[in-house]
Amino acid sequence: MKDTEIIELQEPRLSVADQFYVPQMLVGMGTTLKHMFMTLTGKDRVIQYPEEKREDIPVVEGGMNLRTYRGVHRLNKDEGGRVKCVACFMCSTACPAHCIHIEAGESPWADREKYPIQFDIDELRCIYCGMCEEACPVDAIELTHEYDIVGLTRQEMIFDKEKLLKMYDQTVEKEPM
Amino acid sequence: MDWLSVIPPFVYIALVAFGVVLVTVAYLILLERKVASWTQDRIGPNRVGPWGLLQPLADGLKMFFKEDYRPGGTDKVLFTTAPAAMMLVVIVAMAVIPWGGVHRVETQISVAAGQDVLAAAIASIPMNADLVGEPRVVEAGTYGIMYEYAFQIADLSIGLLFLVAVLSLAVYGVVVGGWASNNKYSFIGGLRATAQMISYEIPLGLCLLTIVVMTGTLDLGQIVEKQAHYWGGVIPAWNVFAQPLAFLMFLTCIHAEANRSPFDLAEAEQELVGGYHTEYTSMRLGLLLLSEYAEMIVTSSVCVALFFGGWHLPGLLGPDAQHPAVTSSWVVVLLRCAVYFIKVLVVIFVFMWVRWSMPRFRFDQLMMLAWRSFIPLSLVVLLATAIALYFAVAQDESFRSLRRIDGYTALLLFGVNIGLLLGAMVLSRVLPPPPLTNRRIGIPGSRFSHTPVPAAGEVEAVVQTKREFLVGVSNQL
């Protein structure tokens, strides 16, 4: 860094109101009073989360656009109710957080060679970037719009195949493939 | 009604006031959380009961059932004494608050023949009441007597002095608690509270003196009574209208006195973990927190008594214009208590409003505010008030005999206050700036210091100038 690049900042000289503190204090108290009034009259207040949700509010009013929201994963099923995944490992390769663990096995069905015996996603390690969804050649893994998942232990938050398939059943009506 | 005449009035006033204040203290914590939420566009506690009204109950239960932990190395006796002392002091200070003016009671006594009537009358009235007038004969052996008593716990003629003495003891809770905790953060909190208390007691006392000079009495009940009339028939004669500047300083000082933000350096949670109550848990912590709010009630009550006319509202004056505090109606007395309490709540709301609007002062700013502005300004206000009162003599004889402030004097005092305020504003521009504290000092050669890098031959000279500058700064400090 050169001397010429350094900008010397001087503290601005205080105005009389600043220096005497009281007028500026009253201005500040006016601001908080305005906020109190707005809150009490219900004109401006935070969303009351469990009762009100951001997705129920229009986007222009500060709501959430669910269509672009990346939430917890699901494993899609095909028409026969079988898991769509072919255990190609594309998603776990693409995953920047290394949170997808797949164990492949020989498929019991004639139309494909492999299927996942085990399919675990660590939802705590996942960064919800959606790269797995992009990488999947058969559209088997998808990110749903569910964001309020909870678990009491870390182990609970590692979603296995059954859980991910169940997530499909829960969300397929709201979010078709 | 026999038992009522046996128990002196101050006992049941004390019981009721104590209960009301303790319940209010619990609800003040809820109010504080609500006010905090409102300023931050939130709604606040609303899960326990309707509008969260049972929240204090839940908090209290939590406090009782928490583990009463005392860390090793603490002073066992002082550690327990501190919260108790703090609460005790605040409750004792509550005794002189003039809740309801003076209550006058008319009653009849029967006196046996040959007995001294006056002595029998005095024996029959409650302990702290005064007999008014002579006993008059109703029929043979029965006399009608009148007595009156101040509707407060202790009617001290030096109530204000008592309050100042007791309230400054409250800091002992903070200091002793901080010291007994054997924790450096608690200790620093206690030290800060001490220095702050010493500094802010002075302007606080001077503001009180201003009011004492105006009213000529230390009795809180009489101070309130002297405000119970109207200037020009319209404006209530509250001291706040005559002494706005003294009121402003008093309000700031009671913020510091009650350790409230922006003067809550004793418990600055960002720097001192929890401040003086870092090591406290369970109900000992509960007592410390509650006494903080109880102290708010007491200081607000003093503020209301001194500056906002206490129980005074139109329609609550007694029949006697000379002594408007005296009333014989129970309804009026109770209404006065309610009015007083509502006024106190309004002042407490201001406390909370300020807390959620102002950032905390740095410690040197806090000291500068007390020593460089408040102490000189309050001294000048006191002096100016004394001079103005010497020259402004009330025209009306009744005002003079009662030592009331009449409208013209009030206007003069108001003008003096505003003039001093403007004068202080001008003077603060003219006076030399405060010493350089906490300013960044350039260190030659450091890459964080924006000082020009000297040429090869000039290093020695630059170091020399810097050294001189540093010496100059430290001399200035």
Side-chain angles (χ1 to χ4, degrees):
Chain A
M1 189 183 258
K2 290 184 212 119
D3 282 354
T4 49
E5 290 169 359
I6 295 170
I7 304 165
E8 292 264 350
L9 292 177
Q10 292 293 323
E11 273 182 40
R13 189 167 156 73
L14 297 176
S15 69
V16 180
D18 289 335
Q19 199 165 12
F20 207 68
Y21 200 75
V22 176
Q24 295 301 79
M25 198 183 81
L26 291 177
V27 172
M29 285 172 74
T31 308
T32 45
L33 192 67
K34 198 175 74 196
H35 275 271
M36 271 187 236
F37 184 73
M38 297 276 272
T39 313
L40 285 174
T41 52
K43 280 182 190 141
D44 180 20
R45 64 162 179 236
V46 290
I47 296 160
Q48 299 297 302
Y49 167 65
E51 285 89 25
E52 303 167 17
K53 289 189 172 175
R54 271 188 70 202
E55 56 259 39
D56 302 333
I57 298 169
V59 176
V60 285
E61 289 167 24
M64 185 166 73
N65 188 2
L66 263 194
R67 290 191 306 166
T68 58
Y69 190 84
R70 297 192 296 265
V72 71
H73 312 74
R74 73 180 187 195
L75 273 181
N76 288 337
K77 293 176 180 172
D78 63 8
E79 301 79 35
R82 304 174 301 175
V83 61
K84 251 183 151 183
C85 175
V86 293
C88 67
F89 285 79
M90 293 280 265
C91 53
S92 71
T93 311
C95 181
H98 304 300
C99 66
I100 307 180
H101 176 75
I102 308 173
E103 270 176 37
E106 200 168 325
S107 159
W109 309 299
D111 58 345
R112 65 190 77 162
E113 285 176 9
K114 289 200 293 180
Y115 89 116
I117 296 174
Q118 206 187 342
F119 195 106
D120 293 344
I121 300 179
D122 189 344
E123 299 290 351
L124 293 178
R125 181 171 269 215
C126 177
I127 59 169
Y128 301 96
C129 63
M131 299 283 266
C132 46
E133 195 176 8
E134 299 286 329
C136 187
V138 291
D139 288 347
I141 186 165
E142 265 182 2
L143 267 60
T144 65
H145 308 157
E146 298 293 317
Y147 55 85
D148 47 354
I149 52 166
V150 288
L152 295 176
T153 58
R154 288 175 178 272
Q155 204 58 39
E156 248 176 82
M157 295 305 283
I158 298 174
F159 279 32
D160 58 6
K161 199 171 88 174
E162 281 71 40
K163 228 170 173 177
L164 290 166
L165 287 169
K166 212 171 100 189
M167 193 56 76
Y168 169 79
D169 296 332
Q170 281 172 8
T171 57
V172 70
E173 277 172 28
K174 265 196 289 179
E175 306 163 32
M177 256 191 295
Chain B
M1 293 298 275
D2 257 3
W3 60 275
L4 261 183
S5 52
V6 173
I7 304 169
F10 69 87
V11 173
Y12 55 84
I13 297 171
L15 284 176
V16 172
F18 188 60
V20 167
V21 165
L22 281 195
V23 172
T24 315
V25 160
Y27 274 90
L28 282 185
I29 295 177
L30 178 68
L31 182 67
E32 173 104 77
R33 290 180 63 186
K34 284 279 185 190
V35 170
S37 317
W38 296 335
T39 55
Q40 295 163 0
D41 295 349
R42 296 184 287 117
I43 289 183
N46 61 353
R47 301 286 140 164
V48 194
W51 307 290
L53 279 179
L54 296 179
Q55 186 73 40
L57 212 64
D59 287 346
L61 272 180
K62 182 201 77 177
M63 281 290 182
F64 272 114
F65 285 111
K66 280 210 155 186
E67 186 192 351
D68 195 7
Y69 178 74
R70 190 174 61 83
T74 53
D75 189 319
K76 196 175 175 181
V77 177
L78 291 183
F79 192 74
T80 312
T81 315
M86 208 163 156
M87 196 70 193
L88 183 82
V89 159
V90 177
I91 287 171
V92 165
M94 214 97 66
V96 291
I97 307 299
W99 295 108
V102 179
H103 188 212
R104 176 175 289 182
V105 182
E106 279 184 60
T107 183
Q108 292 186 345
I109 51 165
S110 51
V111 183
Q115 216 180 342
D116 185 4
V117 177
L118 206 58
I122 288 170
S124 72
I125 64 175
M127 214 164 99
N128 59 342
D130 293 324
L131 201 63
V132 183
E134 292 288 315
R136 59 193 166 75
V137 184
V138 181
E139 54 190 71
T142 309
Y143 292 85
I145 55 165
M146 267 197 301
Y147 63 89
E148 58 185 31
Y149 59 93
F151 203 78
Q152 65 196 66
I153 300 167
D155 183 18
L156 294 186
S157 55
I158 50 155
L160 206 53
L161 203 59
F162 172 80
L163 259 175
V164 174
V166 167
L167 273 184
S168 45
L169 284 178
V171 75
Y172 277 93
V174 178
V175 179
V176 169
W179 185 80
S181 294
N182 190 28
N183 175 319
K184 61 185 102 154
Y185 296 113
S186 306
F187 188 57
I188 292 173
L191 282 183
R192 284 181 176 186
T194 321
Q196 181 180 322
M197 183 63 70
I198 290 171
S199 305
Y200 278 88
E201 283 276 298
I202 304 167
L204 182 82
L206 289 170
C207 290
L208 292 180
L209 268 186
T210 312
I211 299 301
V212 171
V213 164
M214 269 178 76
T215 51
T217 173
L218 283 166
D219 187 332
L220 275 170
Q222 282 191 34
I223 290 177
V224 171
E225 193 179 19
K226 284 188 179 175
Q227 298 173 60
H229 61 104
Y230 297 91
W231 289 320
V234 191
I235 308 165
W238 298 352
N239 288 334
V240 63
F241 300 124
Q243 297 276 10
L245 184 57
F247 165 67
L248 203 64
M249 285 192 288
F250 180 79
L251 192 68
T252 319
C253 288
I254 58 175
H255 274 79
E257 187 89 1
N259 263 325
R260 292 283 301 181
S261 178
F263 303 100
D264 57 343
L265 278 105
E267 43 179 289
E269 63 267 14
Q270 288 87 351
E271 333 158 10
L272 296 184
V273 195
Y276 65 95
H277 54 60
T278 305
E279 300 287 3
Y280 278 91
T281 56
S282 185
M283 211 49 214
R284 280 192 277 225
L285 174 67
L287 270 185
L288 285 178
L289 298 181
L290 288 181
S291 63
E292 186 189 324
Y293 284 88
E295 199 174 348
M296 258 167 74
I297 295 185
V298 174
T299 49
S300 305
S301 310
V302 181
C303 183
V304 167
L306 292 184
F307 288 99
F308 289 100
W311 43 261
H312 176 229
L313 258 202
L316 295 180
L317 295 181
D320 185 1
Q322 301 276 312
H323 296 288
V326 179
T327 176
S328 51
S329 160
W330 266 109
V331 181
V332 171
V333 167
L334 293 179
L335 272 177
R336 281 173 176 180
C337 292
V339 165
Y340 198 109
F341 201 67
I342 288 166
K343 284 183 184 177
V344 168
L345 285 182
V346 170
V347 177
I348 286 174
F349 175 76
V350 172
F351 267 88
M352 291 174 177
W353 181 15
V354 166
R355 170 165 181 186
W356 298 104
S357 307
M358 300 293 117
R360 185 182 299 126
F361 282 110
R362 214 170 53 212
F363 198 68
D364 63 313
Q365 292 170 334
L366 176 104
M367 285 296 153
M368 207 121 72
L369 187 67
W371 291 96
R372 277 177 66 94
S373 12
F374 274 12
I375 294 177
L377 200 54
S378 51
L379 273 170
V380 173
V381 169
L382 177 60
L383 189 68
T385 306
I387 293 173
L389 286 174
Y390 181 76
F391 286 112
V393 179
Q395 302 298 312
D396 196 338
E397 175 56 37
S398 71
F399 275 71
R400 237 177 333 193
S401 63
L402 288 172
R403 286 207 63 173
R404 273 182 186 166
I405 301 293
D406 68 341
Y408 297 107
T409 319
L411 201 64
L412 178 67
L413 286 173
F414 180 78
V416 164
N417 267 260
I418 296 300
L420 285 176
L421 186 73
L422 294 176
M425 279 175 108
V426 172
L427 205 63
S428 69
R429 292 297 273 192
V430 180
L431 282 177
L436 282 169
T437 51
N438 249 6
R439 291 285 157 81
R440 189 195 282 188
I441 295 165
I443 305 162
S446 162
R447 70 195 166 97
F448 298 112
S449 145
H450 47 106
T451 45
V453 175
E458 293 171 2
V459 175
E460 289 302 315
V462 170
V463 168
Q464 188 56 38
T465 27
K466 285 290 167 188
R467 188 169 294 142
E468 278 164 13
F469 173 67
L470 286 171
V471 168
V473 168
S474 54
N475 283 345
Q476 218 174 354
L477 295 176

